[in-house]
Amino acid sequence: MRVAVVAESFLPQTNGVTHSVVRVLEHLAERGDEAVVIAPGSRRDGPAEVHGARIVRVPSFAMPKYRKVRVAPGGVARIRRLLSDLDPDVVHLASPFVLGWRAVLACQDLGLPSVAVYQTEVPAYAARYGMHGLEQALWTHVKNIHQHASLTLAPSSYTIDQLRAQGVQDVRLWARGVDSSRFDPRHRSEEWRRRIVRPGEKIIGFVGRLAVEKQVEDLVALAGIPNTRLVIVGEGPQAPRLKQLLPDAHFTGFLGGDALARAVASFDVMVSPGELETFCQTIQEAMASAVPVVAPARGGPLDLVNSSHTGWLYAPKDLAGMRSYVQDLTGDDAKRRAMGRTARETVRGRCWKSVCSQLIGHYAAAIENPAPQVLGRSLTGFPRWAQDRVG
């Protein structure tokens, strides 16, 4: 099989979209399939090849308030030429929005089957970033993208319901895998902990981008819980502000590979306060490390956290509830360890090989029925600066 992956973001940027695309490329390489990635950037950005897949960059610009995020506007013609030359059996649209919109229209022109993978709740980000009043227009654009694809994959039951409520018709579940040998309680390091906390203190951990949509500032509500210390793993544009808001927290900066696995396994509790998570891979990684999780009852965490068994879910915006659940876990060693063991058992079978095998089945379904759900080029709700470039 020849697969073209059109990714709204890719290496060197690290996020959930990039991580899942890399694991898909790894699986395709193991199967002997051929893959190419089309992503924003220039030849100087990131590797030229990943797991045997060639990386093709298209012109883009950096977001003004988040320089590491790049957007690739422009016409459909360039993407149509690229896809025509590649002649793929199927096109995988990873978190499509701007580049993905151009690609889904190119697929329609060329009669190529396309699988649109919903991964980012962009419309809800608008209000978080001060763009009030745009949410419904952006949802209209998201609907247009997914209705033009052969089929849509969503990572959780919440997002399936969300897309169907917006009018997207053919939505199927495709969750994410977790490497439970890499994320394993055996990697817990007392030496690492001694560098950060005093004897007897519990670590309340967070892992993720330090960006507005992650709501890391909500962790201020955890200040003053006896015998605990907050540890923040990640980097992003909000780092300077968060260091002021959370002066007693330990900030590790970005961690990857074994360093990340060691840090997560060394947490006592993980808190993931973001309410816009379509899945939340870091929750699965904490659970695989036998660390119970506290998260809001919205989005991906609803499928991942079994409240009172593998952690706790609190009502969105109920920061007092969040604090109460964290106190419950940090103050009861037996309960915390029992929840951690159950959490690991819950996710151990969710390997990437199994998840990616399911994806191949979705590719086959799109190839068998490549027609988009709707025809035409409705741009209702699409930003005017981009409308002018599409055609």
Side-chain angles (χ1 to χ4, degrees):
M1 185 183 296
R2 184 182 298 116
V3 181
V5 179
V6 180
E8 209 71 35
S9 64
F10 195 60
L11 298 171
Q13 187 182 0
T14 55
N15 54 35
V17 176
T18 299
H19 180 67
S20 62
V21 168
V22 169
R23 298 312 295 255
V24 168
L25 297 178
E26 181 181 34
H27 186 75
L28 292 172
E30 289 176 355
R31 281 172 38 92
D33 296 323
E34 181 183 347
V36 176
V37 177
I38 301 172
S42 68
R43 292 180 181 177
R44 298 187 302 273
D45 294 327
E49 185 177 288
V50 175
H51 292 302
R54 180 165 59 96
I55 314 302
V56 178
R57 302 287 181 173
V58 295
S60 62
F61 65 86
M63 292 291 286
K65 294 184 179 181
Y66 201 164
R67 302 296 298 174
K68 289 191 176 182
V69 176
R70 302 195 67 85
V71 177
V76 174
R78 178 192 291 268
I79 309 303
R80 188 167 52 234
R81 286 194 300 272
L82 281 172
L83 291 176
S84 179
D85 292 344
L86 295 171
D87 190 26
D89 295 299
V90 65
V91 179
H92 175 134
L93 307 170
S95 195
F97 195 73
V98 178
L99 180 57
W101 169 245
R102 298 163 63 193
V104 79
L105 292 181
C107 288
Q108 180 178 283
D109 291 345
L110 297 168
L112 292 172
S114 58
V115 176
V117 182
Y118 178 71
Q119 290 181 255
T120 310
E121 194 178 334
V122 174
Y125 282 24
R128 299 276 183 195
Y129 281 88
M131 295 178 284
H132 301 282
L134 285 180
E135 189 166 350
Q136 190 50 54
L138 294 174
W139 269 122
T140 300
H141 176 56
V142 169
K143 173 185 173 181
N144 285 339
I145 292 172
H146 289 276
Q147 289 284 69
H148 281 76
S150 304
L151 63 87
T152 288
L153 304 181
S156 60
S157 56
Y158 182 93
T159 51
I160 289 175
D161 292 343
Q162 192 177 46
L163 289 171
R164 287 175 176 166
Q166 293 295 331
V168 182
Q169 297 164 11
D170 192 354
V171 187
R172 309 180 188 188
L173 179 66
W174 183 56
R176 302 294 180 268
V178 64
D179 186 342
S180 57
S181 59
R182 177 183 169 203
F183 291 95
D184 187 300
R186 292 176 299 174
H187 300 313
R188 185 179 176 92
S189 170
E190 293 303 323
E191 179 187 355
W192 188 86
R193 288 172 58 86
R194 282 194 297 271
R195 295 200 302 266
I196 294 170
V197 297
R198 293 187 291 269
E201 283 188 326
K202 303 296 190 294
I203 292 179
I204 304 166
F206 166 84
V207 178
R209 289 191 315 279
L210 306 186
V212 171
E213 68 273 12
K214 298 297 182 180
Q215 296 175 239
V216 188
E217 68 275 9
D218 287 357
L219 300 179
V220 170
L222 304 179
I225 295 179
N227 299 315
T228 66
R229 191 173 190 197
L230 185 62
V231 174
I232 308 291
V233 177
E235 62 181 9
Q238 290 286 299
R241 177 173 178 266
L242 291 169
K243 288 177 181 178
Q244 290 182 334
L245 289 173
L246 301 162
D248 297 325
H250 177 78
F251 288 78
T252 70
F254 173 80
L255 296 179
D258 292 342
L260 176 61
R262 180 170 58 250
V264 173
S266 300
F267 293 168
D268 294 293
V269 178
M270 194 178 91
V271 182
S272 179
E275 296 171 12
L276 303 182
E277 298 288 357
T278 58
F279 184 75
C280 199
Q281 180 67 8
T282 58
I283 286 180
Q284 278 204 141
E285 292 166 352
M287 293 174 66
S289 304
V291 176
V293 176
V294 176
R298 186 189 187 278
L302 289 168
D303 286 356
L304 297 174
V305 180
N306 185 352
S307 202
S308 83
H309 294 278
T310 62
W312 290 108
L313 294 172
Y314 61 91
K317 299 181 175 59
D318 180 12
L319 301 189
M322 176 182 74
R323 180 185 174 92
S324 176
Y325 284 138
V326 171
Q327 285 180 301
D328 174 66
L329 291 172
T330 56
D332 189 330
D333 292 350
K335 179 187 290 187
R336 186 179 65 255
R337 289 167 183 158
M339 283 191 179
R341 288 192 296 269
T342 305
R344 178 162 173 80
E345 289 305 312
T346 300
V347 302
R348 282 184 71 177
R350 300 177 189 173
C351 66
W352 274 104
K353 186 177 182 65
S354 173
V355 166
C356 288
S357 294
Q358 294 169 10
L359 179 64
I360 300 302
H362 292 306
Y363 287 169
I367 291 169
E368 185 175 343
N369 185 17
Q373 296 173 56
V374 298
L375 295 171
R377 298 190 174 212
S378 170
L379 290 171
T380 304
F382 200 51
R384 185 166 297 280
W385 60 265
Q387 291 188 33
D388 294 340
R389 291 175 166 84
V390 176

